[in-house]
C-alpha cells in the first residue's frame, strides 16, 4: 500500500514538472528572434527611455522619416549638410549610413514638407522648396543622385507639402504669383516633369506665418489641417487624389488648434490605417471613418513635434 502511494506521488511530481504555462502553438516555422516585453499595457503612453538623437540638428523643414523593409530611416538635408540615418531599436539609437554620391548635390534636397515615397528599392523625394530638387537613394547600394527637377508649366512658388501617387507628385500650398496666398494645388508628372495647376485649397491661407498647414495621406485621400496659433479657427478638409476634388472645410477642435506658446507649423502627423495621429498640445488621434478627434494624452516630450512627418 505504501509502495503504491509513493508511486502515485512520484507520478504527480513528474506531471507537474512537465507543465508548461502559457499558450503554445504548433508550427513548422523556426523563430528568428525572441522579444520579452513586460510592458504589455503600454498603449497610448510614452516609452520611458532616453530618446534617441541624431548627430546633426534636424528640424521640421529639413528632415523626414520613412520605412523600408520594416526598418526606420531619417533623411535630412540643408544648405550645409545632408545625411541618411537608420534606427536601431535594440540600441535605441540612429546610425549614420555612408552614401556614395553618383551625381548632383544632395544638400539641395531639403524635404521642406516633402514626405517621399518608396519606388522599388529607391527612396524618392521631391522637395517642394524653391529649387524643386529631387533626390533618389538606392537603399540596397546606398548610392544617391540629386537633380533639379526642371519643372515646366505651372512652376511658380514652392509648396509646403508633397506626396507621390500614381506617377505624379501632388504639391499643396504653393504660392499664387504676386499675392500672399499659399493655396495652390498642382500635380507634377514624374516622367515628363510637367506641372499642372489643378485647383486651390478652399480654406485659403493668407500670410502663412499665422495660419499653418500640414497634411497626411491615407490611401487615395489627402487630409489637410490648418492651424492658427492665435485663434481657435482651425479647419481641415479632404482632397481626393482619384477625382482631384476637395471636400468642404470642417472645424478643428478649439483645444487642439490654439496654443499661445507654440505654432501650428510644428504639428507632427502620422497616418496609420484609418487613424491619423497628431502631436500638438498633447497627442491626438483622428478617425478618418467617423471624422472624430480624440485627445489621448496631454503629455508631450520635449521636441516631439520637431519633424512634421514622424513614424
Amino acid at each position: 500500500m505504501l509502495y503504491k502511494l509513493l508511486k502515485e506521488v512520484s507520478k504527480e511530481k513528474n506531471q507537474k514538472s512537465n507543465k508548461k504555462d502559457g499558450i503554445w502553438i504548433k508550427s513548422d516555422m523556426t523563430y528568428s528572434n525572441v522579444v520579452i516585453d513586460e510592458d504589455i499595457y503600454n498603449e497610448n503612453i510614452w516609452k520611458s527611455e532616453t530618446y534617441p538623437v541624431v548627430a546633426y540638428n534636424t528640424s521640421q523643414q529639413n528632415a523626414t522619416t520613412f520605412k523600408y523593409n520594416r526598418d526606420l530611416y531619417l533623411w535630412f538635408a540643408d544648405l550645409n549638410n545632408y545625411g541618411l540615418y537608420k534606427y536601431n531599436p535594440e540600441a535605441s539609437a540612429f546610425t549614420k549610413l555612408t552614401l556614395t554620391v553618383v551625381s548632383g548635390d544632395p544638400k539641395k534636397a531639403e524635404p521642406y514638407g516633402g514626405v517621399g515615397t518608396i519606388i522599388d528599392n529607391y527612396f524618392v523625394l521631391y522637395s517642394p522648396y524653391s529649387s524643386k530638387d529631387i533626390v533618389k537613394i538606392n537603399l540596397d547600394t546606398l548610392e544617391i543622385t540629386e537633380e533639379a527637377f526642371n519643372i515646366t508649366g505651372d512652376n511658380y512658388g514652392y509648396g509646403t507639402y508633397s506626396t507621390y501617387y500614381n506617377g505624379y507628385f501632388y504639391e499643396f500650398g504653393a504660392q499664387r504669383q504676386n499675392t500672399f496666398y499659399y493655396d495652390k494645388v498642382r500635380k507634377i508628372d514624374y516622367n515628363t516633369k510637367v506641372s499642372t495647376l489643378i485647383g486651390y485649397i478652399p480654406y485659403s491661407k493668407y500670410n502663412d506665418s499665422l495660419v499653418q498647414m500640414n497634411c497626411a495621406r491615407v490611401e487615395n485621400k489627402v487630409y489637410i489641417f490648418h492651424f492658427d496659433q492665435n485663434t481657435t479657427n482651425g479647419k481641415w478638409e479632404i482632397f481626393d487624389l482619384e477625382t482631384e476634388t476637395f471636400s468642404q472645410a470642417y472645424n478643428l477642435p478649439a483645444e487642439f488648434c490654439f496654443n499661445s506658446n507654440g505654432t501650428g507649423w510644428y504639428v507632427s502627423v502620422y497616418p496609420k490605417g484609418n487613424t491619423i495621429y497628431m502631436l500638438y498640445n498633447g497627442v491626438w488621434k483622428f478617425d478618418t471613418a467617423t471624422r472624430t478627434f480624440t485627445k489621448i494624452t496631454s503629455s508631450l516630450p520635449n521636441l516631439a513635434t520637431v519633424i512634421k512627418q514622424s513614424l
Side-chain angles (χ1 to χ4, degrees):
M1 182 68 180
L2 179 61
Y3 170 77
K4 183 177 180 182
L5 180 61
L6 290 174
K7 190 175 180 180
E8 288 178 355
V9 170
S10 177
K11 181 179 179 182
E12 184 178 353
K13 285 184 177 180
N14 288 334
Q15 288 176 340
K16 288 183 177 180
S17 65
N18 292 331
K19 183 180 179 182
K20 298 181 179 180
D21 293 327
I23 301 173
W24 292 78
I25 302 174
K26 186 175 181 180
S27 171
D28 58 355
M29 300 178 65
T30 58
Y31 71 88
S32 59
N33 189 27
V34 175
V35 177
I36 299 175
D37 185 359
E38 297 179 354
D39 299 324
I40 58 175
Y41 301 108
N42 63 355
E43 183 179 7
N44 297 334
I45 65 171
W46 292 102
K47 186 173 177 61
S48 57
E49 65 176 31
T50 301
Y51 296 103
V53 296
V54 296
Y56 190 76
N57 182 31
T58 57
S59 73
Q60 49 83 20
Q61 291 183 344
N62 66 12
T64 189
T65 52
F66 64 93
K67 287 189 292 186
Y68 176 67
N69 286 346
R70 299 179 63 85
D71 291 316
L72 175 66
Y73 293 83
L74 182 146
W75 162 257
F76 83 90
D78 61 21
L79 296 178
N80 301 308
N81 208 336
Y82 70 91
L84 178 66
Y85 287 83
K86 184 177 180 180
Y87 179 63
N88 183 335
E90 283 76 25
S92 188
F94 285 96
T95 300
K96 188 175 183 179
L97 303 178
T98 301
L99 296 172
T100 300
V101 180
V102 177
S103 62
D105 182 1
K107 294 193 297 293
K108 294 181 180 179
E110 186 175 5
Y112 204 84
V115 295
T117 191
I118 300 297
I119 302 176
D120 297 326
N121 60 328
Y122 283 84
F123 169 67
V124 179
L125 173 76
Y126 163 72
S127 173
Y129 201 45
S130 56
S131 55
K132 300 180 178 62
D133 297 280
I134 190 168
V135 65
K136 302 177 185 178
I137 304 175
N138 186 318
L139 295 171
D140 295 333
T141 65
L142 295 182
E143 294 177 319
I144 181 171
T145 62
E146 179 277 333
E147 62 176 322
F149 213 43
N150 294 326
I151 297 171
T152 59
D154 188 306
N155 63 356
Y156 180 83
Y158 59 85
T160 56
Y161 174 83
S162 71
T163 188
Y164 178 86
Y165 183 75
N166 279 357
Y168 293 92
F169 290 104
Y170 284 82
E171 185 179 85
F172 297 82
Q175 183 182 3
R176 297 194 203 186
Q177 195 164 2
N178 300 322
T179 75
F180 289 103
Y181 282 92
Y182 298 80
D183 60 353
K184 290 199 307 187
V185 180
R186 54 192 172 197
K187 66 177 181 180
I188 304 160
D189 191 296
Y190 176 65
N191 295 308
T192 67
K193 302 179 183 177
V194 175
S195 174
T196 305
L197 177 66
I198 57 177
Y200 298 92
I201 299 173
Y203 187 68
S204 300
K205 298 202 312 170
Y206 179 77
N207 188 346
D208 74 338
S209 66
L210 296 178
V211 184
Q212 307 295 349
M213 181 185 77
N214 204 350
C215 308
R217 180 164 72 87
V218 177
E219 296 180 346
N220 64 338
K221 291 180 173 57
V222 175
Y223 292 81
I224 305 170
F225 303 94
H226 307 273
F227 312 93
D228 191 333
Q229 70 187 66
N230 296 320
T231 73
T232 57
N233 297 327
K235 302 285 185 179
W236 69 272
E237 63 236 332
I238 304 170
F239 180 80
D240 191 308
L241 291 165
E242 290 290 339
T243 62
E244 296 183 353
T245 57
F246 282 96
S247 71
Q248 68 183 82
Y250 305 93
N251 292 324
L252 283 173
E255 182 188 2
F256 178 84
C257 183
F258 180 67
N259 182 359
S260 60
N261 297 318
T263 168
W265 185 260
Y266 290 95
V267 176
S268 178
V269 297
Y270 166 50
K272 182 180 180 182
N274 291 325
T275 302
I276 298 174
Y277 290 88
M278 290 178 278
L279 309 183
Y280 185 63
N281 285 345
V283 183
W284 295 71
K285 65 179 180 179
F286 172 69
D287 189 314
T288 60
T290 62
R291 300 183 179 181
T292 55
F293 290 85
T294 303
K295 188 172 187 178
I296 299 175
T297 176
S298 296
S299 66
L300 203 62
N302 187 31
L303 300 180
T305 59
V306 167
I307 299 176
K308 294 177 70 173
Q309 278 74 32
S310 298
L311 293 179

